């Protein structure tokens, strides 16, 4: 069983079995804010950490983050 990163999880306020669904909702909401808002950017990175590298959408979210920042 994979363990979730505790610091990222604590900062995200996610709990329960629907973490991935809620994380992706939050990623969608945060994406337009990440360039101008350091806190939004940290939350976005935390959520990616919670999804983990094995999640099928993580790579796509990382690409969106990069495209938004640069």
């Amino acid at each position: 069983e994979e363990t979730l990163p505790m610091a990222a999880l604590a900062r995200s306020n996610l709990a329960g079995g629907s973490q991935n669904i809620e994380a992706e909702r939050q990623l969608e909401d945060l994406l337009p804010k990440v360039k101008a808002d350091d806190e939004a950017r940290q939350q976005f990175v935390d959520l990616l950490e919670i999804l983990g590298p094995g999640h099928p959408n993580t790579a796509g979210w990382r690409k969106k983050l990069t495209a938004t920042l640069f």
Side-chain angles (χ1 to χ4, degrees), residues 5-60:
M6 296 311 286
L9 189 58
R11 286 189 299 260
S12 73
N13 296 320
L14 294 178
S18 61
Q19 289 170 341
N20 287 350
I21 294 168
E22 183 58 29
E24 291 207 67
R25 283 187 194 136
Q26 289 183 26
L27 286 167
E28 192 171 318
D29 290 343
L30 288 168
L31 188 60
K33 303 172 188 172
V34 295
K35 188 164 185 149
D37 184 340
D38 290 340
E39 187 175 322
R41 188 168 41 257
Q42 181 60 55
Q43 288 175 331
F44 196 97
V45 171
D46 287 344
L47 290 166
L48 290 177
E49 191 175 336
I50 290 166
L51 285 180
H55 189 279
N57 297 335
T58 299

